[in-house]
Amino acid sequence: MWGLVRLLLAWLGGWGCMGRLAAPVPAWAGSRGHSGPTLLRTRRSWVWNQFFVIEEYSGPEPVLIGKSLDREEKAQYVLLAQAVDRASNRPLEPPSEFIIKVQDINDNPPVFPLGPYHATVPEMSNVGTSVIQVTAHDADDPSYGNSAKLVYTVLDGLPFFSVDPQTGVVRTAIPNMDRETQEEFLVVIQAKDMGGHMGGLSGSTTVTVTLSDVNDNPPKFPQSLYQFSVVETAGPGTLVGRLKAQDPDLGDNALMAYSILDGEGSEAFSISTDSQGQDGLLTVRKPLDFETRRSYTFRVEATNTLIDPAYLRRGPFKDVASVRVAVQDAPEPPAFTQATYHLIVPENKAPGTLVGQISASDLDSPASPIRYSILPYSDPERCFSIEPEDGTIRTAVLLDREARVWHNLTVLATELDSSAQSSRVQVAIQTLDENDNAPQLAEPYDIFVCDSAAPGQLIQVIRALDKDEVGNSSQVSLQGPVGPDANFTVRDNREDGSASLLLPSRPAPPRQAPYLVPIELWDWGQPALSSTATVTISVCRCRPDGSMASCWPEAQLSPTGLSTGALLAIVTCMGTLLALVVLFVALRRQKQEALMVLEEEDVRENIITYDDEGGGEEDTEAFDIAALQNPDGAAPPAAGPPVRRDVLPRTRAPRQPRPPGPADVAQLLALRLREADEDPSVPPYDSVQVYGYEGRGSSCGSLSSLGSGSEAGGVPGPTEPLDDWGPLFRTLAELYGAKEPPAP
């Protein structure tokens, strides 16, 4: 048994555990071989002491611990031990545990798990302004020695920044750091354990510090004078030039507003800031005129829109520069003396009445002539005319204010030397009223009155109107018949242009026909105009409610419709009219049958000019042979320019075709006469129309000289009867030597 215990102790010693087995010596152990009382054995127990092993021990004495230990991996070990019988392998006692703790040494340097760092601090910050806090971690045991006690220092970044040794807070170390000088700094921070003493381990990280911008710089113009030019025809809003003040600040701190300080510049020009808030845009504000002013000089101010009160000491945050703008000459259209014209003219004035004058001039050359005209679309009725030279406007027709009050004309002024230079102006002409319209009733009045109406009862209010408006012409008075025989009374209501129609004290006698009451109307214009109108009044039988029952008592005695006598009269008239139509058609047909024989005959004509004797029918050059042909077969006229009327015509006008149907000589003569009158090749050349067929039933007989006798001298027979035939035969009478009858 004791051998087994010694063996177990040896095993435990091999694990490097220190312990002891405490138990009383049994009674039989000391009196072996002797008689005596039997003693009971007391239970043994293990007493374990803590066993410390240095981590990573590399000394000369071996330590039986099985393997090297790392506290940062595992700080302690818990072991479980139990005594058993080697022979029977039975536990001799319950299990017991003991703890092995690993003692720490400084074997881990500090590290920054969140590094590298980036931080931002405003420029011009005060000394000690917090920038960022850095934190390092040491894996060694902070409860044993100084292995995990860290101290922070700045390795790089002095003298601009400092770090708190205990907390690791980085702060500014100097004042007025300027972003415009240096915007970014790289700071190196070191953390060292062992309280920073010799032999301690260390780690480092970087902190990139960026200075943010503040509005600490005022705007500044790079030059003191800016010069621009613009043509005089540039309209409002035209860009003249850009001004840019420089501000080294960023973002909103560099936004600027521009303004014009001098009065003369602000009247002609305006300045605004572009969409980026940096440049000033100088534009035209009102029309420029080279002839009036050729240059402008003014001052422009640039100001920061956002100013930080903390930096007012570095101001003022604005700058001023001078601007000179030269106006360049350009061809301009004529300029009117007024933007619009308002002229007046009375109505009913004779054409040619002066209305007014429009004036324009060439600003580039005042002596250059101007031509005026009215655009046709603005005066489609041609009511006015304008003198092209001086722009005088006159009436061209009689104007009626009641038809049209306003005439809106567009007058065009054009330079005579350059037709491309023109301008327009609106001219409003107002037609003034005159008392030229007599008053009239507002509407036709056809009224009725009950035969039972009481004397003096109001029948109707009659209203009048006057189209004129001038003076008192619109005030109308009305008057009806006066005297004891008047059947009705008309009472003028004075101011409102109306009159009351009343029953007289003596009622009107009843009768079938309506009463026609004359009404006289006159205005109060100068001169006063008057007119007469009639009001129709029927005396009717009324129902109890006052509505009309009947105005024609006789109409109730006969049935509805026409009487028998009226129907007979209508039938008689229609029969007579039908008989006349049948008779006319029969006479017309008889006349056409008598003239059907003329369809086969050819009616010819010959045109003989006075200055050509002709050579007979064989001479085809002295006259147009086509005139002797059948007019129905004549070719249509050729297209071409119209025939000149100042020279002898070379061609004849086209003939109209003969109407279809039986020949009517009178109709044919009328057709040929109309052709001769409308032929442009005839006047002023006189001609004689010679017809081969004279027709029948002529009261004048034959006009041909072929069958007439000849007197001495070869002059054709009697011409005196031609003078009696009237002016239609005057030319023929002159041809035969008759005296021209006196003009009627």
Side-chain angles (χ1 to χ4, degrees), residues 77-417:
Y77 297 88
V78 179
L79 302 180
L80 186 63
Q82 186 180 31
V84 296
D85 188 344
R86 178 179 300 178
S88 62
N89 200 27
R90 288 188 303 108
L92 299 179
E93 60 182 6
S96 300
E97 73 175 15
F98 59 94
I99 299 173
I100 300 177
K101 292 186 177 180
V102 181
Q103 185 177 351
D104 182 43
I105 63 173
N106 189 16
D107 60 341
N108 293 281
V111 295
F112 293 88
L114 301 180
Y117 296 88
H118 295 271
T120 301
V121 64
E123 63 174 332
M124 300 294 171
S125 296
N126 296 326
V127 175
T129 301
S130 176
V131 179
I132 194 174
Q133 182 178 14
V134 297
T135 302
H137 294 279
D138 196 321
D140 294 327
D141 188 2
S143 63
Y144 181 78
N146 294 328
S147 299
K149 186 177 182 180
L150 305 180
V151 175
Y152 299 92
T153 57
V154 177
L155 297 182
D156 191 7
L158 296 174
F160 303 103
F161 298 94
S162 63
V163 65
D164 189 291
Q166 306 301 325
T167 62
V169 176
V170 180
R171 303 179 184 274
T172 58
I174 62 174
N176 300 328
M177 286 190 292
D178 191 5
R179 182 198 64 82
E180 289 74 28
T181 303
Q182 183 176 351
E183 183 177 6
E184 190 173 271
F185 297 84
L186 184 63
V187 181
V188 179
I189 304 296
Q190 182 191 63
K192 189 174 183 181
D193 58 12
M194 299 300 294
H197 294 88
M198 184 71 67
L201 303 178
S202 65
S204 63
T205 187
T206 59
V207 180
T208 303
V209 181
T210 302
L211 298 182
S212 61
D213 184 61
V214 298
N215 191 10
D216 59 337
N217 295 281
K220 184 71 175 178
F221 284 105
Q223 58 192 73
S224 59
L225 176 63
Y226 292 84
Q227 297 188 12
F228 304 101
S229 62
V230 60
V231 296
E232 62 176 337
T233 56
T238 302
L239 180 64
V240 179
R242 286 177 175 263
L243 290 83
K244 183 176 180 59
Q246 297 178 353
D247 191 334
D249 294 326
L250 300 177
D252 295 343
N253 297 322
L255 297 179
M256 288 172 283
Y258 296 84
S259 60
I260 298 177
L261 300 181
D262 300 330
E264 66 177 17
S266 60
E267 294 177 358
F269 302 93
S270 61
I271 191 169
S272 59
T273 309
D274 65 355
S275 58
Q276 284 74 31
Q278 299 294 319
D279 295 354
L281 307 179
L282 185 64
T283 57
V284 178
R285 184 174 184 179
K286 69 175 185 179
L288 306 175
D289 186 9
F290 174 80
E291 290 72 22
T292 303
R293 187 167 186 174
R294 302 189 176 186
S295 65
Y296 294 84
T297 302
F298 49 89
R299 294 182 303 160
V300 173
E301 181 182 72
T303 307
N304 277 134
T305 57
L306 299 177
I307 299 177
D308 191 343
Y311 304 100
L312 287 177
R313 67 184 186 277
R314 303 178 65 88
F317 289 83
K318 60 184 178 180
D319 195 20
V320 178
S322 298
V323 177
R324 184 179 185 276
V325 180
V327 181
Q328 297 178 347
D329 190 19
E332 298 177 272
F336 289 93
T337 56
Q338 300 180 24
T340 58
Y341 289 85
H342 177 205
L343 306 178
I344 57 176
V345 60
E347 64 174 333
N348 300 323
K349 294 299 181 182
T353 300
L354 177 63
V355 179
Q357 186 177 16
I358 307 301
S359 179
S361 61
D362 185 359
L363 301 180
D364 299 324
S365 177
S368 177
I370 304 295
R371 290 295 179 265
Y372 303 90
S373 61
I374 299 176
L375 295 183
Y377 74 86
S378 64
D379 187 21
E381 300 175 357
R382 301 292 191 271
C383 298
F384 300 92
S385 63
I386 188 170
E387 293 292 336
E389 290 79 12
D390 59 4
T392 300
I393 298 179
R394 300 180 182 273
T395 60
V397 296
L398 285 175
L399 302 179
D400 185 6
R401 190 204 67 85
E402 287 70 35
R404 188 174 180 182
V405 179
W406 289 94
H407 298 266
N408 297 313
L409 307 182
T410 301
V411 175
L412 181 68
T414 307
E415 295 182 8
L416 188 61
D417 299 336

Side-chain angles (χ1 to χ4, degrees), residues 546-580:
S547 61
M548 182 180 62
S550 175
C551 286
W552 305 101
E554 292 76 10
Q556 299 177 357
L557 301 178
S558 60
T560 304
L562 298 176
S563 63
T564 304
L567 291 176
L568 292 177
I570 293 175
V571 172
T572 304
C573 291
M574 293 180 63
T576 304
L577 181 60
L578 181 59
L580 290 176

